[in-house]
Amino acid sequence: MPTAVHLEPFTAADVDRLLGWIPDPEFMMLWSGPFFRAPLTRQQLLEYAASAQADPPPRCIYKAVHTPTAEVFGHIELYNFDARNQSATLGKVLVGQPQGRGAGLGTQMVNAALEIAFVELGLHRVDLRVFDFNTPAVRCYQKAGFQIEGHLRDFRKVGEVYWSSYLMAVLAPDWLQARP
């Protein structure tokens, strides 16, 4: 299947769109873990966008664009760069509009980020954490080549409930061999 997705840098101009995609604190936790404070504000997202401009940047933040229509439909980030071990973490992965989910765009967005990680940045490993009950996200990551490496039980407390998480990772040689 030809790719219908490309990534562009996330900027302050994208903040309001992203803010509109995060309906409540529980969804925010599902999307970003404890990175942001509830309620999510425009100011937090502006600071987040600005952080990618540091030298060196602690994260590379992207908006996902549907190439045929030029519509921005998603958000994704690479962070936790470890130069010695040539690794990073994938996070804050989101297909913004619910009607856009389940159509394969998320997998294409993840593969576009892995193209940057493995081809442009020369990384060897990319990992992520995903809540174990988020079955659509787990399947998306598996389609992109990630494998479950661990199960972090009761990893985050959300309200009065603990959520468990999978640790997943993909290695450059495996992804490059199977890449779309």
Side-chain angles (χ1 to χ4, degrees):
M1 163 172 60
T3 187
V5 171
H6 69 275
L7 302 181
E8 297 177 4
F10 178 84
T11 68
D14 302 305
V15 162
D16 290 331
R17 178 188 314 102
L18 180 57
L19 188 59
W21 288 342
I22 311 299
D24 55 51
E26 186 173 278
F27 189 91
M28 183 182 74
M29 177 62 75
L30 192 65
W31 167 62
S32 68
F35 185 82
F36 295 108
R37 296 170 314 282
L40 185 61
T41 64
R42 188 172 196 280
Q43 185 60 37
Q44 286 182 77
L45 289 176
L46 287 170
E47 291 169 9
Y48 169 65
S51 72
Q53 304 307 313
D55 186 21
R59 62 187 39 86
C60 295
I61 311 169
Y62 303 98
K63 59 185 170 190
V65 181
H66 183 246
T67 303
T69 64
E71 180 183 353
V72 176
F73 73 88
H75 181 89
I76 197 164
E77 167 186 0
L78 287 165
Y79 68 105
N80 263 356
F81 293 102
D82 179 341
R84 178 183 169 101
N85 294 299
Q86 296 176 281
S87 66
T89 300
L90 186 74
K92 297 179 190 68
V93 179
L94 176 64
V95 174
Q97 298 296 332
Q99 63 270 23
R101 299 176 191 149
L105 292 175
T107 302
Q108 289 186 46
M109 177 174 58
V110 169
N111 276 316
L114 292 175
E115 178 86 19
I116 292 168
F118 294 139
V119 176
E120 292 180 27
L121 300 177
L123 299 179
H124 176 72
R125 173 189 167 90
V126 174
D127 66 19
L128 61 83
R129 282 161 195 76
V130 59
F131 292 111
D132 62 359
F133 60 84
N134 191 350
T135 306
V138 172
R139 279 195 309 261
C140 169
Y141 300 136
Q142 287 173 326
K143 287 179 189 172
F146 283 85
Q147 296 179 23
I148 295 173
E149 295 187 335
H151 192 212
L152 309 169
R153 298 178 307 137
D154 291 351
F155 184 64
R156 293 276 181 244
K157 188 173 184 184
V158 181
E160 295 303 313
V161 179
Y162 287 95
W163 290 1
S164 297
S165 186
Y166 289 130
L167 170 63
M168 301 181 76
V170 61
L171 302 179
D174 299 333
W175 185 84
L176 290 167
Q177 182 178 0
R179 88 197 242 199

